[in-house]
């Protein structure tokens, strides 16, 4: 009896191996020619794009994501985390046998891009603009890439959400602080934070440089923000509200004097995907509460 | 003649060891060939088996094999450049890093990473892709020319001057690189960090061909220099009496090593320690006989870097560690162990 069971299980194992092999071959041959527009195996390398693919109903097709793809959380169980886009390499991507790679132009490092191009896997690289129209266009582009035409509802939802934003009479000056380790960076213009703050009815406290720059006490005092804005994880890392108030220069600002510190989920506020409206409304509410 | 056969014996052992490590490295990685062994897949690829899937082909040949060969080539060149520079300067601390070549390469690479965006679009597409690499190579070359100019007068190169100007160039290079790091954007900062610690992830066969050509040219010139380097240990004057054209030797070594280091940095970023530790280990094992240690460093460098790279891409899979961290981590303890063992003879 034991022998029969053993033989049967070996047979089963051999059969399943073969089946897997067969399935693998099928997937990989798709990569060379025109990939079919459904049942893809998708690798998404940007949090916002991941959210779009998921919102379009293709979550099950995602087999791998980058570290910024934190939403929805259920992806953690089904897709492999391939790490940070700047230090990612090609073999782990190939290991999940994708048929479609979706990335944003800004994120991906040139060496990896070159490798992906020569791998023959269909790849779509999107230009991400941090505006409402840019987000809608990204949604349309991603939908096209995954073979879905039913994306209008996502754009409509963004519009519907944005309508809920209450105007703030005296626009509060908001300083976004990005804390990573010991390095504190503040966001200048042309950043997702700058765009979101404006959308939510506030104004960026720092307008004399682009992108993120290290925070200097003098710059903070000069900017004199009414509200300090953090990622939730960033604020925790900085030691919570107490820690934030102790940052050099902060005590001298309006935000420091009135202890106006807000924090939101990093993926939500920086994604610029289908939850853009939600993020802007959330920030709008927090700003209203903190400027009373 | 006996020395000669002893050398061949050690070279053979080294080559066998390298081959074994290469086989292990080929077998290491996160990609699953669907139950088939990587060796079989490689064999199928070499035979041109039409049944092999595109992904399997790509991973075995363009990803793993290319990377293994690149580790072997770069490891070898870094070690040989270290050995010859140490021989030339009669100083165990002389490496590409010490005479400013690495710093020069890193500086221009950093400029390309941080400021490249401003002028990239005016360059031909081929150059755009390899802008960082080309800049690194030019950086090493410029640093070398500068060091050489400063330390040479009336056709004679002063070795101490050369090391000192290397120190100066390194400090200038680091400060400007530091400034670039300060003004860089978040993603550039990550690229810079990665570049500063090296990586072989971008290995391709085209790069390997370039590396092989540089290696061949360099080795044809350098490898027969064992006797001349032995003579140099007696001092430049004595070497001259023994028939060594000292000035010509210096020129050749400086040009060739900057060619090798520049190319290596261009393709893999800065990978420290290989050029320092390989000659040191060999000198401790075989005394300072360059007829022996110069050829042996070609293989020991490859072995060290291939081991480091295989670890770098498997320790924290699916991500990977910058290889520079590992060359120091693996090299350091070996170095200390050997130092302790040979404490008395030093």
């Amino acid at each position: 009896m034991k022998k029969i069971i053993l033989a049967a299980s070996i047979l089963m194992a051999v059969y399943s191996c073969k089946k897997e092999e067969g399935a693998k071959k099928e997937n990989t041959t798709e990569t060379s020619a025109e990939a079919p527009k459904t049942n893809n195996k998708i690798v998404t390398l940007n949090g916002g794009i991941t959210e779009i693919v998921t919102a379009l109903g293709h979550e099950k097709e995602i087999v791998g994501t980058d570290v910024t793809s934190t939403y929805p959380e259920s992806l953690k169980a089904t897709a492999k985390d391939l790490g940070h886009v700047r230090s990612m390499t090609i073999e782990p991507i190939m290991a999940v046998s994708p048929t479609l790679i979706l990335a944003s132009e800004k994120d991906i490092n040139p060496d990896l891009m070159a490798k992906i191009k020569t791998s023959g896997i269909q790849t779509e690289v999107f230009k991400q603009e941090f505006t409402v129209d840019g987000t809608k266009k990204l949604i349309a582009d991603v939908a096209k890439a995954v073979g879905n035409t039913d994306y209008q509802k996502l754009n409509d939802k963004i519009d519907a959400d944005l309508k809920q934003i209450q105007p703030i009479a005296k626009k509060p000056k908001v300083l976004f602080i990005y804390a990573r380790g010991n390095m504190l960076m503040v966001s200048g213009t042309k950043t997702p934070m700058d765009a979101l703050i404006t959308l939510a009815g506030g104004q960026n406290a720092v307008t004399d440089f682009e992108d993120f720059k290290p925070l200097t006490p003098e710059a903070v005092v000069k900017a004199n923000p009414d509200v300090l804005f953090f990622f939730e994880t960033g604020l925790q890392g900085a030691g919570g509200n107490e820690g934030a108030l102790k940052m050099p220069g902060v005590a001298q600002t309006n935000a420091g004097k009135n202890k106006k510190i807000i924090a939101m989920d990093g993926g939500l506020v920086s994604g610029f995907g289908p939850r853009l409206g939600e993020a802007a409304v959330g920030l709008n509410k927090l700003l209203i509460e903190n400027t009373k | 003649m006996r020395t000669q056969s002893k050398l061949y014996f050690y070279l053979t052992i080294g080559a066998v060891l390298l081959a074994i490590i290469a086989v292990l490295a080929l077998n290491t990685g996160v990609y699953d060939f669907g139950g088939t062994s990587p060796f079989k897949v490689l064999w199928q690829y070499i035979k041109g088996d039409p049944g092999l899937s595109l992904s399997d082909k790509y991973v075995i040949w363009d990803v793993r094999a290319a990377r293994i060969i690149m580790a072997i080539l770069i490891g070898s060149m870094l070690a040989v450049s270290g050995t010859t520079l140490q021989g030339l300067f009669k100083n165990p601390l002389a490496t590409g890093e010490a005479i400013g070549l690495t710093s020069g390469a890193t500086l221009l690479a950093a400029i390309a990473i941080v400021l490249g965006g401003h002028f990239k679009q005016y360059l031909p597409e081929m150059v755009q892709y390899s802008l960082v690499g080309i800049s690194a190579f030019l950086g090493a070359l410029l640093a070398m020319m500068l060091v050489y100019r400063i330390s040479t007068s009336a056709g004679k190169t002063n070795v101490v001057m050369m090391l000192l100007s290397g120190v100066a160039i390194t400090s200038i290079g680091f400060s400007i690189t530091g400034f670039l790091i300060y003004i860089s954007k978040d993603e550039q900062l990550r690229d810079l960090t990665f570049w500063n610690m090296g990586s072989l992830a971008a290995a391709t066969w085209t790069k390997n061909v370039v590396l092989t050509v540089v290696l061949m040219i360099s080795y044809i010139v350098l490898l027969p220099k064992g006797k001349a380097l032995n003579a140099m240990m007696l001092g430049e004057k004595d070497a001259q009496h023994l028939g060594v054209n000292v000035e010509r030797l210096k020129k050749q070594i400086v040009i060739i090593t900057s060619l090798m280091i520049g190319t290596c940095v261009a393709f893999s970023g800065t990978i420290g320690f290989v050029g320092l530790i390989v000659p040191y280990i060999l000198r401790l094992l075989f005394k300072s006989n360059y007829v022996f240690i110069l050829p042996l460093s070609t293989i020991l460098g490859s072995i060290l870097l291939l081991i480091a790279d295989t670890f770098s891409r498997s320790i924290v899979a699916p991500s990977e560690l910058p290889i520079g961290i590992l060359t120091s981590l693996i090299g350091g303890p070996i170095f200390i162990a050997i130092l302790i063992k040979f404490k008395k003879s030093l």
Side-chain angles (χ1 to χ4, degrees), chain A residues 206-259:
Chain A
V206 181
T207 49
D208 41 11
F209 58 80
E210 291 175 9
D211 289 300
F212 293 88
K213 284 256 167 88
L215 171 123
T216 65
E218 251 182 71
V220 177
V221 176
K222 183 181 161 232
N224 191 19
D226 301 309
V227 179
L228 297 182
F229 179 23
F230 286 86
F231 285 160
E232 273 161 6
T233 49
L235 185 58
Q236 269 170 26
N241 286 7
E242 286 297 306
L245 291 170
K246 280 185 198 143
M247 283 177 183
V250 163
Q252 279 71 37
T253 65
N254 286 340
K257 284 174 203 153
N258 306 321
K259 300 190 174 165

Side-chain angles (χ1 to χ4, degrees), chain A residues 3-71:
Chain A
K3 275 184 186 166
I4 295 173
I5 293 173
L6 190 69
S9 51
I10 290 174
L11 263 175
M12 284 272 284
V14 169
Y15 178 67
S16 59
C17 274
K18 273 199 174 151
K19 213 169 145 191
E20 254 183 45
E21 235 180 0
K24 199 170 160 60
K25 291 259 153 69
E26 248 170 58
N27 286 328
T28 41
T29 43
E30 281 167 10
T31 60
S32 59
E34 274 273 322
K37 294 296 184 194
T38 48
N39 294 322
N40 276 311
K41 286 173 94 180
I42 306 172
V43 164
T44 55
L45 301 180
N46 170 287
I49 295 174
T50 307
E51 283 191 28
I52 297 172
V53 175
T54 314
L56 288 166
H58 295 256
E59 183 180 340
K60 286 207 175 107
E61 292 167 35
I62 300 179
V63 291
T65 56
D66 74 323
V67 77
T68 64
S69 303
T70 49
Y71 183 87

Side-chain angles (χ1 to χ4, degrees), chain B residues 153-186:
Chain B
S153 59
K156 287 209 168 171
T157 310
N158 183 331
V159 167
V160 178
M161 278 290 284
M162 206 158 180
L163 278 173
L164 287 176
S165 49
V167 171
I169 285 185
T170 302
S171 85
I172 295 168
F174 274 141
S175 76
I176 301 176
T177 310
F179 173 72
L180 288 167
I181 287 173
Y182 180 76
I183 63 164
S184 66
K185 295 179 195 166
D186 196 36

